[in-house]
PDB file of all heavy atoms in Angstrom:
ATOM      1  N   PHE A 129     106.905 102.915  90.081  1.00  0.00           N
ATOM      2  CA  PHE A 129     107.122 103.536  91.392  1.00  0.00           C
ATOM      3  C   PHE A 129     108.478 104.227  91.417  1.00  0.00           C
ATOM      4  O   PHE A 129     108.615 105.355  91.864  1.00  0.00           O
ATOM      5  CB  PHE A 129     107.057 102.511  92.518  1.00  0.00           C
ATOM      6  CG  PHE A 129     105.658 102.143  92.972  1.00  0.00           C
ATOM      7  CD1 PHE A 129     105.344 100.834  93.283  1.00  0.00           C
ATOM      8  CD2 PHE A 129     104.670 103.091  93.107  1.00  0.00           C
ATOM      9  CE1 PHE A 129     104.075 100.486  93.710  1.00  0.00           C
ATOM     10  CE2 PHE A 129     103.392 102.776  93.544  1.00  0.00           C
ATOM     11  CZ  PHE A 129     103.084 101.453  93.837  1.00  0.00           C
ATOM     12  N   SER A 130     109.497 103.536  90.941  1.00  0.00           N
ATOM     13  CA  SER A 130     110.869 104.074  90.933  1.00  0.00           C
ATOM     14  C   SER A 130     110.937 105.326  90.047  1.00  0.00           C
ATOM     15  O   SER A 130     111.488 106.352  90.476  1.00  0.00           O
ATOM     16  CB  SER A 130     111.848 103.010  90.441  1.00  0.00           C
ATOM     17  OG  SER A 130     113.133 103.528  90.356  1.00  0.00           O
ATOM     18  N   ASP A 131     110.404 105.241  88.844  1.00  0.00           N
ATOM     19  CA  ASP A 131     110.429 106.388  87.925  1.00  0.00           C
ATOM     20  C   ASP A 131     109.691 107.587  88.496  1.00  0.00           C
ATOM     21  O   ASP A 131     110.069 108.736  88.235  1.00  0.00           O
ATOM     22  CB  ASP A 131     109.813 106.011  86.580  1.00  0.00           C
ATOM     23  CG  ASP A 131     110.660 105.030  85.770  1.00  0.00           C
ATOM     24  OD1 ASP A 131     111.838 104.797  86.154  1.00  0.00           O
ATOM     25  OD2 ASP A 131     110.137 104.487  84.778  1.00  0.00           O
ATOM     26  N   ALA A 132     108.640 107.339  89.287  1.00  0.00           N
ATOM     27  CA  ALA A 132     107.871 108.430  89.884  1.00  0.00           C
ATOM     28  C   ALA A 132     108.501 108.963  91.158  1.00  0.00           C
ATOM     29  O   ALA A 132     107.993 109.894  91.761  1.00  0.00           O
ATOM     30  CB  ALA A 132     106.434 107.960  90.166  1.00  0.00           C
ATOM     31  N   GLY A 133     109.612 108.334  91.592  1.00  0.00           N
ATOM     32  CA  GLY A 133     110.276 108.753  92.817  1.00  0.00           C
ATOM     33  C   GLY A 133     109.532 108.375  94.080  1.00  0.00           C
ATOM     34  O   GLY A 133     109.709 108.993  95.125  1.00  0.00           O
ATOM     35  N   ILE A 134     108.701 107.351  93.972  1.00  0.00           N
ATOM     36  CA  ILE A 134     107.940 106.894  95.146  1.00  0.00           C
ATOM     37  C   ILE A 134     108.749 105.838  95.877  1.00  0.00           C
ATOM     38  O   ILE A 134     109.204 104.858  95.313  1.00  0.00           O
ATOM     39  CB  ILE A 134     106.557 106.329  94.706  1.00  0.00           C
ATOM     40  CG1 ILE A 134     105.711 107.467  94.129  1.00  0.00           C
ATOM     41  CG2 ILE A 134     105.850 105.646  95.883  1.00  0.00           C
ATOM     42  CD1 ILE A 134     104.412 107.054  93.553  1.00  0.00           C
ATOM     43  N   LYS A 135     108.918 106.089  97.153  1.00  0.00           N
ATOM     44  CA  LYS A 135     109.626 105.139  98.025  1.00  0.00           C
ATOM     45  C   LYS A 135     108.686 103.968  98.286  1.00  0.00           C
ATOM     46  O   LYS A 135     107.513 104.154  98.631  1.00  0.00           O
ATOM     47  CB  LYS A 135     109.990 105.829  99.344  1.00  0.00           C
ATOM     48  CG  LYS A 135     110.684 104.956 100.343  1.00  0.00           C
ATOM     49  CD  LYS A 135     110.959 105.737 101.639  1.00  0.00           C
ATOM     50  CE  LYS A 135     111.357 104.798 102.734  1.00  0.00           C
ATOM     51  NZ  LYS A 135     111.462 105.520 104.010  1.00  0.00           N
ATOM     52  N   VAL A 136     109.191 102.752  98.138  1.00  0.00           N
ATOM     53  CA  VAL A 136     108.430 101.529  98.395  1.00  0.00           C
ATOM     54  C   VAL A 136     109.235 100.719  99.415  1.00  0.00           C
ATOM     55  O   VAL A 136     110.409 100.429  99.191  1.00  0.00           O
ATOM     56  CB  VAL A 136     108.192 100.710  97.118  1.00  0.00           C
ATOM     57  CG1 VAL A 136     107.438  99.432  97.438  1.00  0.00           C
ATOM     58  CG2 VAL A 136     107.445 101.520  96.075  1.00  0.00           C
ATOM     59  N   GLU A 137     108.600 100.379 100.522  1.00  0.00           N
ATOM     60  CA  GLU A 137     109.296  99.705 101.596  1.00  0.00           C
ATOM     61  C   GLU A 137     108.455  98.598 102.201  1.00  0.00           C
ATOM     62  O   GLU A 137     107.264  98.804 102.456  1.00  0.00           O
ATOM     63  CB  GLU A 137     109.683 100.709 102.676  1.00  0.00           C
ATOM     64  CG  GLU A 137     110.516 100.158 103.802  1.00  0.00           C
ATOM     65  CD  GLU A 137     110.895 101.227 104.807  1.00  0.00           C
ATOM     66  OE1 GLU A 137     111.183 102.381 104.395  1.00  0.00           O
ATOM     67  OE2 GLU A 137     110.880 100.927 106.027  1.00  0.00           O
ATOM     68  N   LYS A 138     109.078  97.472 102.428  1.00  0.00           N
ATOM     69  CA  LYS A 138     108.378  96.369 103.076  1.00  0.00           C
ATOM     70  C   LYS A 138     108.440  96.548 104.589  1.00  0.00           C
ATOM     71  O   LYS A 138     109.496  96.798 105.152  1.00  0.00           O
ATOM     72  CB  LYS A 138     109.016  95.038 102.687  1.00  0.00           C
ATOM     73  CG  LYS A 138     108.233  93.818 103.095  1.00  0.00           C
ATOM     74  CD  LYS A 138     108.798  92.543 102.464  1.00  0.00           C
ATOM     75  CE  LYS A 138     107.911  91.382 102.774  1.00  0.00           C
ATOM     76  NZ  LYS A 138     108.355  90.150 102.055  1.00  0.00           N
ATOM     77  N   VAL A 139     107.278  96.462 105.229  1.00  0.00           N
ATOM     78  CA  VAL A 139     107.178  96.587 106.688  1.00  0.00           C
ATOM     79  C   VAL A 139     106.508  95.315 107.196  1.00  0.00           C
ATOM     80  O   VAL A 139     105.345  95.068 106.892  1.00  0.00           O
ATOM     81  CB  VAL A 139     106.344  97.808 107.097  1.00  0.00           C
ATOM     82  CG1 VAL A 139     106.092  97.843 108.588  1.00  0.00           C
ATOM     83  CG2 VAL A 139     107.011  99.092 106.637  1.00  0.00           C
TER      84      VAL A 139
END
Side-chain angles (χ1 to χ4, degrees):
F129 279 140
S130 177
D131 290 349
I134 294 174
K135 178 182 167 187
V136 178
E137 185 178 321
K138 189 170 187 174
V139 173

